[in-house]
Amino acid sequence: EVQLVQSGPEVKEPGESLKISCQGFGYNFSNYWIAWVRQMPGKGLEWMGIIYPDDSDTRYSPSFQGQVSFSVDKSINAAYLQWTSLKASDTAKYYCARLATLLGKTFDYWGQGTLVTVSS
Amino acid sequence: SYELTQPPSVSVSPGQTARITCSGHALSKQYVSWYQQQSGQAPVLMIYKDTKRPSGIPDRFSGSSSGTTVTFIISAVQEEDEADYYCQSTDTSGGFEVFGGGTKLTVL
């Protein structure tokens, strides 16, 4: 069974750094793009970008370029989303999702989401 | 930047048919997927490649496409279908993915 399991909720102060994770199970993790999606409180889904675990090829949405970074650790089938200096406006739920290109570029499996709260 | 336009809300009575539209200038060339998001839950894929249903999704959920507008259709709506629905497609100019603004389906 395919599963994406994300790390737990985080509470941080502005200016702090953070790295959240998304671990894949039940499929060849290296061969599917992983996307990160933001959902701010009461708002819709925003595509942040994608990373290909096999070679770490990365594409960022212009809205998020320079604000976050993606990485992977193939040895443990994990993808990461990282901030170096959090802002209050980063408060949101963050989802990872598997991109199935053979199904017409659809997100066929999603993690449960990681709630990030940034507050002083 | 590329935008997909959905109505903010749709209301329907139980047993009726709900239709949610998604418009975008590239939709005649790019596939659309639809996701259901129940309150507090992760999104779930309902339709891909405009009209295809993943295994496990009931056949009362369907999709259609005409030009630059695609439509997500729920036949015989049930109370449990009350949720937010999002369309998603690809921006051909940048190769980026984009979501519509979402539609809140209310079952009266």
Side-chain angles (χ1 to χ4, degrees):
Chain A
E1 180 196 4
V2 174
Q3 277 189 293
L4 294 174
V5 180
Q6 298 186 233
S7 48
E10 302 275 1
V11 179
K12 292 288 190 179
E13 294 189 359
E16 290 191 308
S17 63
L18 176 64
K19 192 174 187 178
I20 63 174
S21 68
C22 167
Q23 210 163 2
F25 299 91
Y27 74 99
N28 189 341
F29 184 77
S30 292
N31 295 141
Y32 285 81
W33 292 87
I34 290 288
W36 288 98
V37 177
R38 182 175 79 174
Q39 188 167 39
M40 299 178 77
K43 302 298 184 183
L45 305 173
E46 299 175 88
W47 182 79
M48 302 174 70
I50 50 175
I51 186 165
Y52 192 65
D54 194 47
D55 60 6
S56 293
D57 186 13
T58 304
R59 298 167 199 180
Y60 296 98
S61 161
S63 300
F64 292 92
Q65 179 83 46
Q67 309 304 308
V68 297
S69 61
F70 306 150
S71 60
V72 295
D73 183 342
K74 286 195 294 183
S75 69
I76 57 171
N77 289 353
Y80 301 96
L81 168 59
Q82 185 169 7
W83 295 260
T84 56
S85 181
L86 286 160
K87 302 185 272 289
S89 57
D90 292 317
T91 294
K93 198 159 195 180
Y94 293 88
Y95 293 98
C96 63
R98 188 179 84 161
L99 181 67
T101 54
L102 292 180
L103 299 185
K105 299 187 83 175
T106 194
F107 299 112
D108 59 349
Y109 289 92
W110 293 68
Q112 82 276 21
T114 295
L115 181 62
V116 174
T117 304
V118 184
S119 174
S120 53
Chain B
S1 61
Y2 185 46
E3 290 186 0
L4 298 177
T5 301
Q6 298 181 234
S9 62
V10 167
S11 298
V12 66
S13 299
Q16 292 191 324
T17 297
R19 292 178 175 84
I20 299 172
T21 57
C22 175
S23 300
H25 69 80
L27 294 189
S28 60
K29 304 183 187 69
Q30 295 290 336
Y31 287 122
V32 170
S33 300
W34 289 93
Y35 305 89
Q36 176 193 69
Q37 188 178 34
Q38 304 275 10
S39 180
Q41 303 296 312
V44 173
L45 176 65
M46 304 299 284
I47 295 288
Y48 66 97
K49 280 189 174 179
D50 296 346
T51 62
K52 307 290 186 191
R53 228 178 4 259
S55 62
I57 301 301
D59 61 6
R60 59 195 187 82
F61 294 95
S62 62
S64 68
S65 177
S66 178
T68 57
T69 298
V70 294
T71 303
F72 180 68
I73 303 161
I74 311 173
S75 304
V77 167
Q78 300 176 5
E79 289 185 6
E80 68 199 47
D81 299 331
E82 190 162 280
D84 294 322
Y85 292 87
Y86 295 90
C87 61
Q88 171 254 320
S89 188
T90 306
D91 171 0
T92 54
S93 63
F96 300 139
E97 305 306 311
V98 62
F99 290 98
T103 298
K104 182 173 183 58
L105 176 69
T106 300
V107 181
L108 301 168

